[in-house]
Amino acid sequence: MTKVLTFGEMMLRLKPAGNNRILQAADFEVNYGGAEANVAVSLSLLGDQAAYLTKFPDNLLGDAALGTLIKYGVITDKVLRGGPRLGIYFFEKGASVRTTNVVYDRAGSSFAETKRTEFDWPKLLADVDYFYFSGITPAISRELQEAVLAACQYCQAHQITVVCDLNYRGKMWSPERAQEVMAELMQYVNICIANDEDFEASLGIKAFDGDMSRGIDQKADFKAGMLEVTKRYPNCHTVASVLRNIYSVEASQWTGLLLHDGQYYDAPVYDMHVMEGVASGDAFGAGLIHGFVHNFEPQDMIEYAIAASVLKLTISGDLNLVSDQEIRAIKGQGAGASMSR
Amino acid sequence: MTKVLTFGEMMLRLKPAGNNRILQAADFEVNYGGAEANVAVSLSLLGDQAAYLTKFPDNLLGDAALGTLIKYGVITDKVLRGGPRLGIYFFEKGASVRTTNVVYDRAGSSFAETKRTEFDWPKLLADVDYFYFSGITPAISRELQEAVLAACQYCQAHQITVVCDLNYRGKMWSPERAQEVMAELMQYVNICIANDEDFEASLGIKAFDGDMSRGIDQKADFKAGMLEVTKRYPNCHTVASVLRNIYSVEASQWTGLLLHDGQYYDAPVYDMHVMEGVASGDAFGAGLIHGFVHNFEPQDMIEYAIAASVLKLTISGDLNLVSDQEIRAIKGQGAGASMSR
Amino acid sequence: MTKVLTFGEMMLRLKPAGNNRILQAADFEVNYGGAEANVAVSLSLLGDQAAYLTKFPDNLLGDAALGTLIKYGVITDKVLRGGPRLGIYFFEKGASVRTTNVVYDRAGSSFAETKRTEFDWPKLLADVDYFYFSGITPAISRELQEAVLAACQYCQAHQITVVCDLNYRGKMWSPERAQEVMAELMQYVNICIANDEDFEASLGIKAFDGDMSRGIDQKADFKAGMLEVTKRYPNCHTVASVLRNIYSVEASQWTGLLLHDGQYYDAPVYDMHVMEGVASGDAFGAGLIHGFVHNFEPQDMIEYAIAASVLKLTISGDLNLVSDQEIRAIKGQGAGASMSR
Amino acid sequence: MTKVLTFGEMMLRLKPAGNNRILQAADFEVNYGGAEANVAVSLSLLGDQAAYLTKFPDNLLGDAALGTLIKYGVITDKVLRGGPRLGIYFFEKGASVRTTNVVYDRAGSSFAETKRTEFDWPKLLADVDYFYFSGITPAISRELQEAVLAACQYCQAHQITVVCDLNYRGKMWSPERAQEVMAELMQYVNICIANDEDFEASLGIKAFDGDMSRGIDQKADFKAGMLEVTKRYPNCHTVASVLRNIYSVEASQWTGLLLHDGQYYDAPVYDMHVMEGVASGDAFGAGLIHGFVHNFEPQDMIEYAIAASVLKLTISGDLNLVSDQEIRAIKGQGAGASMSR
Amino acid sequence: MTKVLTFGEMMLRLKPAGNNRILQAADFEVNYGGAEANVAVSLSLLGDQAAYLTKFPDNLLGDAALGTLIKYGVITDKVLRGGPRLGIYFFEKGASVRTTNVVYDRAGSSFAETKRTEFDWPKLLADVDYFYFSGITPAISRELQEAVLAACQYCQAHQITVVCDLNYRGKMWSPERAQEVMAELMQYVNICIANDEDFEASLGIKAFDGDMSRGIDQKADFKAGMLEVTKRYPNCHTVASVLRNIYSVEASQWTGLLLHDGQYYDAPVYDMHVMEGVASGDAFGAGLIHGFVHNFEPQDMIEYAIAASVLKLTISGDLNLVSDQEIRAIKGQGAGASMSR
Amino acid sequence: MTKVLTFGEMMLRLKPAGNNRILQAADFEVNYGGAEANVAVSLSLLGDQAAYLTKFPDNLLGDAALGTLIKYGVITDKVLRGGPRLGIYFFEKGASVRTTNVVYDRAGSSFAETKRTEFDWPKLLADVDYFYFSGITPAISRELQEAVLAACQYCQAHQITVVCDLNYRGKMWSPERAQEVMAELMQYVNICIANDEDFEASLGIKAFDGDMSRGIDQKADFKAGMLEVTKRYPNCHTVASVLRNIYSVEASQWTGLLLHDGQYYDAPVYDMHVMEGVASGDAFGAGLIHGFVHNFEPQDMIEYAIAASVLKLTISGDLNLVSDQEIRAIKGQGAGASMSR
């Protein structure tokens, strides 16, 4: 059975209960999430064999994060334990014209403090077919940047497919630093996921003008950007993107775009009422990898990935708790809701 | 004073708190509901004399369900007690493109296990003017199908108006079985409520193509279907329907249509932001019966019924906790919201 | 530093948890608010020196209301303590076509029972630059009407700017009584905020036909009404209004309009998904006063005020818990939401 | 069937969620209660015919209070509607050495504002066998004092048994005023319930030294006080008391004492872990009346009443939601808990 | 590594939030539990290899129950899926003198409807060292009784240790029926756990007089009863019991007793303040099995088991979420609490 | 007016809702606390002038912590802003024999990262009469140790009273390191608070054998230890201790002991049912300082301090939200609870 390993940081996520702001919160809802963990959980829920690699502190918070992965079937036997603390992020959901806030409290976490030597890649990647990381992991520390590089090199040498979601985070590093690091790592990437500002911030490729209310309207520019990626990085045979017109925190349109072996594939556009706009890119990535694992046709692949992605917009928490059947029910269409009873 | 008796099953309804999925639920919100109970509660809140007939187990859950009816003024002196258990349904609210899920756990309930002989219709219907049931009741068991039939026959013989909401439930029986049963019962029905798929699934009459995103657009087909109902079942002088264009779990348009004594009556269309899309058909039915009880003009009747129905879309729980005054405030219009202070 | 004093009643606000109606509420969310207190808190959060004058009972509820003001930095050293009780209002949030309900329980409150002689205006206004009250305060009692009048007279004699939000409340007094009182008070008002029905109900000036779904569409009439205000009351150099097209409890459009020294200034229109439609007028007033305090250009002033106002629509509770930075982020535009991470 | 009418005020009760203090409360738990309403609900749950007389405002809060009574089967057809507001009390539960706080907000309530002429006693008491009131009702207003007197006089003239729980409330009136009023009313009382300080505060009879940690230890003094009551008021054939040694908010001992037709009857002592120490006196009164209604032997009566009373200590909210079967299960014993499964 | 298989039914457990009664519950806390599942989770949390065998319906409730087991590391690869429904039990926690109520709603569950032929014991027990069941499993149905018997016979033939917790449930079967069935099964049991009434109800051996307030005081009778068990059933080399003096829902004393290879071992007595008195017997059983798996000395075994058991009394939900380290911290002592910081 | 400055770290405190363990927590209750902040809030609530010095990050969490202090009247104008993060601690409340767990996540906090040079003591202490710190502050970092030393030296030179609660935390430093640092700081301390293990761990003075179940029983040893403190550190004229017999998480006895100017003063013993055993030492310290500020007699001082301390055991959260009146109500006695209504 095909096996996917994802490598990154899972954090405790704290969100004021209901619609409260942090300043008025009497309770935080407790969730655990992080790009690469989210991808692993999605794949596991879709029936794939997904393993996750990180380092958790050896305390009750580490236990709780680990328990969350196990509950959803992720293979966690390679997870390291120890170090100072579990990273945290505070999530203050916006509304209408009020922007969502994310406050990171991840510095000094057990994962952030790992040394590259803690990762024995030949052993860790021994039975792996797909290796997934996002741009967040090398942004965390120099050591992790080197660890990712070593993993990529091992993969290339052993025919393991490397998947990278660029996932640029302006609160973690500058475009200059990101581009410097990603330029090297992209040499090894076979499947690249790039959304919105990622093209420019992570790769220095202009594909999007930054206006989130008209991402879909710039599809032609995205196509050009994608092509440029494959030109610059010949090992990269696939580039996939989520395109969005975001009108407010709740109202937006979503679609997907795929460049695979030189050919473009479009997904339908979904008119969305968004419950929670976090981690839908990870759901998209998981949908895409699921497509590769099961040899979907490219058109199916992008339709499946964007359907998985928009379903995440309806779920609370970082994890895309949906089934393959639920994705298929809305795949390839725009909307249409009824009740099953 | 005119008295209405409704006959069916009230269940414990369990819904994950907030927007959670069942898989992540740490709490279930507790409500009690069921089509016929919902109609009785609505009528009682509108000031009508409404009685409810069912069987509840003789345990704390049965007490709680009964207490809910009593709280809202429903006459419950004919409710039977005993049997194994209270039926349950789990309600997982959808969002945007994610469909709402209903998981029934009603098999083996006290009501489902009743025998037709437990219902002494001459006594139960002695002072009743309207008898209401929905297609769910005969779908529960053969015994209940016979019980409903006996009640209908008694009604016809004693000038009690029979109201039936076809309420087809695909998880309870097949169209074939439904049509077989309803064909017989419809001989006795005077007022028939039929929504969406009910025409075809319950009666085998084509009136709607199944596309929930364009129910209103098929008004002409609905009209034809309604007419066919009155032709096939001459005792049925009235057919009423809710027509909907459902774009997503939250966004939809609602209107009502009435065929009464051979004449059609249209209601205005409401653009709705839906909080909870359950039991609005029951609210419609109650509004309609309220109109008959108070001799409303047909045009008033359909406008009142659809206004009651769309208000239900704004209420949590199965019960339409609105007043006559609140229905009248929006009756005959489309929208318009302000604050009363 | 410029100092603002606001004068009015802060109440305990009780709202059924979640979307429940009062009839089904097992819990009430606890907040404290009132037009003038809301303005003071907004100003304080924007960095201005804001004091609040009221009377709280000397019990745990009074302590809690006072603590809320202190928490947000309002100067409360002039707040009176004593009297029978804290006023309360119950807030039942509507949804879609169901109207929001406010049940006042403010009669006999400590503030409502104050005598005019309890307010020593020369002392209270000694270091004040702006005095703010809303039409609610004189509506509470004859004594408070006289107290407001005395304060206004003192202000006029001592170059303190008087700001009044007409804030007509039909549940508190009739248009006749309001007009009689406000006609006198308006002699002293320099900056007048008038929304929707306020023009006619409080001043007898026709500016709006009462149809909340097309307030923005009547901008010309509003302009005429504003001009009439400045003509009738020559001390009033500024009139500001929020204009709205309200389509449902959630969906509406918002804009602002300013008449300042004979010139009109328009704000952009915001398409809003409303979380809570209460106290946004107070947020508007606070934004406007903040503009005056900091000598904003009139165009900036109205854009800032309406941006503050629409942000309030995204916050639970009476208090506009937003920062100057958040207001500036959406000022002068329509919408556009992204995530800061 | 024997019918009991109770006459008094039911209030909205607001309690900080969990163990919070009012100063830190983000939510209030919503309940409705009041001595005489609590007695009516208890009797109804025990299967007796219990009616309640009060006046509720004609708003959503009045509806909710009324709905609570109806839910538990109380006959409410004589309840008046109208007037300004529903009385409220805030309940801050203590813990260990920290005392429980009650903040009344009942002044100006609909019931408090009733006139004596609103109560047509011949009609209200037409089919009543027992009339119950507590000392709280005449403490509310002079009009209610007169209303109670008129009711008592009617009862005496028509062989209706009058039950009075003295229920002294120091926050409502002084001992002097209470004694003046109760001295007159006691002329008509047949069954008197007097706890702790009631003897002295309401009647000026010394029976208890005020030390709540040793109420049971003063049983001899209580007996003397009870005897004195029957001597002073010859129509009073029965006096019943709850005796308590209260060690802390959670830990206490409870027993009951009855003087009936000149003879004393003792109940066993219960060692209690108290969840909520409110309204247990009302539960005691209801238990006692239930005993009279069903002609219990005096020893059974006091054992039943104290068992009902201590069960209330385990229930949240004012209402004693227990069954006759549950009372009997612990009647006549001290403790002993197991699980029924 | 030694492997334990437990066989039984895991149910959805619904408990009114906080201390509410079912009649007043607006929310149910959601947990999943059942004797044999609880034992498996405990063992897994203690680091043992524990598998669980049951049948879950193929719906969202079945998924959630299964996810709970997986989260805590239980091996679930042999769990069957299908059948009508997940069993439920409602748990109404008592307080002080008010008894805890359990309402079973497990009839017609997927597990209850299994046929003996669905269990292929040679395959299911292939790599198992300990087979555990409780008296609940054969009480569910005749088919399950036969299934247990077949499993026991296979175990005896293949040197698999059989552990049985008699776990008599009066709401499931009569003593007569229990004794008839258990007499046969006990032929195969090697380790028997018997608490309180189990001796008499399940085996007809008198060891306890039924007074839960003095179980520990009857230790001599328990010893005699245990000895009688080993005499009657020579394959049973070990009998273990929890002995309790229960004074109220919160206050009780707990100790353990072991008869192993003809010798008695006593545990210390714990004075407990009980948070939740459910599933502590399962925690005891798991502690005992853990002792066998790791070859503890008998004295260590009983001390470990009772320490695990009393810790469960401090945990909400059916599952004993404690670590080996936490058990060891209180093992062999009575009480003593401090804070680790 | 006498002014107290406290110096330390305030953290976000996260506690699983209700009685849940961290592993099962779906929500965390949000509070903010820390020894020195708790002391400042207590003093402010008692009417004293209390200032707090710390450093908060310049983010929403820092705002929320600061808002908490301001709400309760603490002077915060000297609080520094900036640095990486707000310290956090997770609080898992134990029950009965299960120990309470505290998981610190405070490394790398804004306060922990401060440099000694950020504190300009002459300015910070200009108008201060009492300077308070606990042993936690120097345990955080070498820089803070030096900062405290500099503050103490300034105080000695300027007749500012130095109060130190030794507050040993084994998770922060070793006894060796603590003793080394405290030996130096104690030269400047005038009032020393030492509880339980503090004597030995922080000062190397044997006064308590470590058995928390019999702290009160070792009063003679505590007295000797206190005397030794005053001998070693001649500037220290006062030593105060809380003595406890802790039987379980809920059940314990509490008393206080004071050595002042060579004379001992005892407080009465309180039998406590503990709701939350955190921060009661801080409440004790605040009570003691309040006594000094108001020149209480020594006997009054220790009685007041221990009464404040045990009241904290009844409050959720770190802050002792009680009034002077509530402390006086239980001062000098053991227990006794009634209801104020």
Side-chain angles (χ1 to χ4, degrees), chain B residues 12 14 22-23 25-30 59-61 63-64 85-86 88 90 92 101 103 105, chain E residues 12 14 22-23 25-30 59-61 63-64 85-86 88 90 92 101 103 105:
Chain B
L12 167 62
L14 297 173
I22 287 174
L23 204 56
D27 298 274
F28 286 143
E29 295 168 8
V30 174
N59 63 17
L60 293 171
L61 280 306
D63 294 349
R85 61 183 294 260
L86 186 70
I88 299 178
F90 296 88
E92 190 188 70
N101 275 316
V103 178
D105 179 15
Chain E
L12 167 62
L14 298 172
I22 287 174
L23 203 56
D27 299 274
F28 286 143
E29 296 169 9
V30 174
N59 63 17
L60 293 171
L61 280 305
D63 294 349
R85 63 183 292 258
L86 186 69
I88 298 177
F90 296 88
E92 188 189 71
N101 276 316
V103 178
D105 179 15

Side-chain angles (χ1 to χ4, degrees), chain E residues 298-328:
Chain E
Q299 181 62 34
D300 271 356
M301 219 179 258
I302 188 66
E303 289 185 3
Y304 191 92
I306 194 67
S309 181
V310 297
L311 275 173
K312 175 62 198 70
L313 300 172
T314 73
I315 309 275
S316 295
D318 269 44
L319 309 178
N320 196 18
L321 303 176
V322 299
S323 65
D324 175 67
Q325 183 187 358
E326 288 174 311
I327 295 172
R328 291 187 181 281

Side-chain angles (χ1 to χ4, degrees), chain E residues 263-296:
Chain E
Q263 201 134 357
Y264 294 105
Y265 302 87
D266 292 81
V269 176
Y270 289 82
D271 281 321
M272 296 300 301
H273 182 80
V274 175
M275 179 186 292
E276 195 183 294
V278 83
S280 58
D282 307 328
F284 178 78
L288 194 76
I289 296 171
H290 183 73
F292 272 98
V293 164
H294 294 273
N295 296 310
F296 285 11

Side-chain angles (χ1 to χ4, degrees), chain A residues 12 14 17 21-23 25-32 59-61 63-64 67 84-86 88 90 92 101 103-105 107, chain F residues 12 14 17 21-23 25-32 59-61 63-64 67 84-86 88 90 92 101 103-105 107:
Chain A
L12 167 61
L14 298 172
R21 303 210 66 175
I22 286 175
L23 203 57
D27 298 274
F28 286 143
E29 296 168 8
V30 174
N31 280 284
Y32 297 88
N59 62 18
L60 293 171
L61 280 306
D63 294 349
R85 62 183 293 259
L86 186 70
I88 298 178
F90 296 88
E92 188 188 71
N101 276 315
V103 178
Y104 283 128
D105 180 14
Chain F
L12 167 62
L14 298 172
R21 303 210 68 176
I22 286 174
L23 203 57
D27 298 275
F28 286 142
E29 296 167 7
V30 174
N31 280 284
Y32 297 88
N59 64 18
L60 293 171
L61 281 305
D63 293 348
R85 63 183 294 258
L86 186 69
I88 299 178
F90 296 89
E92 189 189 70
N101 275 316
V103 178
Y104 282 128
D105 180 13

Side-chain angles (χ1 to χ4, degrees), chain A residues 180-237:
Chain A
E180 185 192 318
V181 172
M182 295 313 299
E184 181 170 25
L185 294 175
M186 280 298 292
Q187 310 294 341
Y188 306 92
V189 171
N190 308 110
I191 302 169
C192 175
I193 300 162
N195 300 327
D196 314 326
E197 56 182 348
D198 291 345
F199 283 94
E200 187 159 13
S202 301
L203 303 181
I205 295 171
K206 188 83 194 173
F208 167 63
D209 70 4
D211 181 351
M212 291 298 300
S213 73
R214 39 183 298 282
I216 297 176
D217 306 348
Q218 304 174 53
K219 193 183 276 193
D221 298 333
F222 272 94
K223 287 189 173 176
M226 289 169 129
L227 194 62
E228 175 66 16
V229 173
T230 58
K231 279 189 189 150
R232 281 206 203 162
Y233 309 104
N235 284 326
C236 183
H237 54 68

Side-chain angles (χ1 to χ4, degrees), chain A residues 277-337:
Chain A
V278 83
S280 57
D282 308 327
F284 178 78
L288 195 75
I289 296 171
H290 183 74
F292 272 98
V293 164
H294 294 272
N295 296 310
F296 285 12
E297 288 301 309
Q299 182 61 35
D300 271 356
M301 220 180 258
I302 189 67
E303 290 185 4
Y304 191 91
I306 195 67
S309 181
V310 298
L311 275 173
K312 176 60 198 71
L313 300 171
T314 73
I315 309 275
S316 295
D318 268 44
L319 308 178
N320 197 17
L321 303 177
V322 301
S323 65
D324 175 67
Q325 184 187 356
E326 288 173 312
I327 295 171
R328 292 189 180 281
I330 67 156
K331 181 180 157 288
Q333 334 178 20

Side-chain angles (χ1 to χ4, degrees), chain C residues 165-215:
Chain C
D165 183 337
L166 296 173
N167 240 347
Y168 178 73
R169 291 289 180 269
K171 289 189 174 171
M172 298 185 71
W173 57 1
S174 66
E176 293 68 38
R177 178 98 189 85
Q179 288 168 28
E180 184 191 319
V181 172
M182 295 311 299
E184 182 171 25
L185 295 176
M186 280 298 292
Q187 311 294 339
Y188 306 92
V189 171
N190 307 112
I191 302 170
C192 175
I193 299 162
N195 300 327
D196 314 328
E197 56 182 349
D198 291 346
F199 284 94
E200 187 160 13
S202 301
L203 303 182
I205 294 171
K206 187 86 196 172
F208 168 63
D209 71 2
D211 181 349
M212 291 299 298
S213 74
R214 41 184 295 283

Side-chain angles (χ1 to χ4, degrees), chain E residues 4 6 35-36 38-43 46 48 130-134 163-167 191-195 238 240-242 254 258 279-293 301-302 304-310 312 320 327:
Chain E
V4 183
T6 77
E36 298 82 0
N38 302 345
V39 168
V41 168
S42 272
L43 287 168
L46 296 177
D48 297 330
Y130 286 82
F131 174 71
Y132 169 95
F133 71 99
S134 91
V163 188
C164 171
D165 183 337
L166 296 173
N167 241 347
I191 301 171
C192 174
I193 298 162
N195 299 327
T238 302
S241 298
V242 176
W254 292 64
L258 179 69
S280 58
D282 307 328
F284 178 78
L288 194 76
I289 296 171
H290 183 73
F292 272 98
V293 164
M301 219 179 258
I302 188 66
Y304 191 92
I306 194 67
S309 181
V310 297
K312 175 62 198 70
N320 196 18
I327 295 172

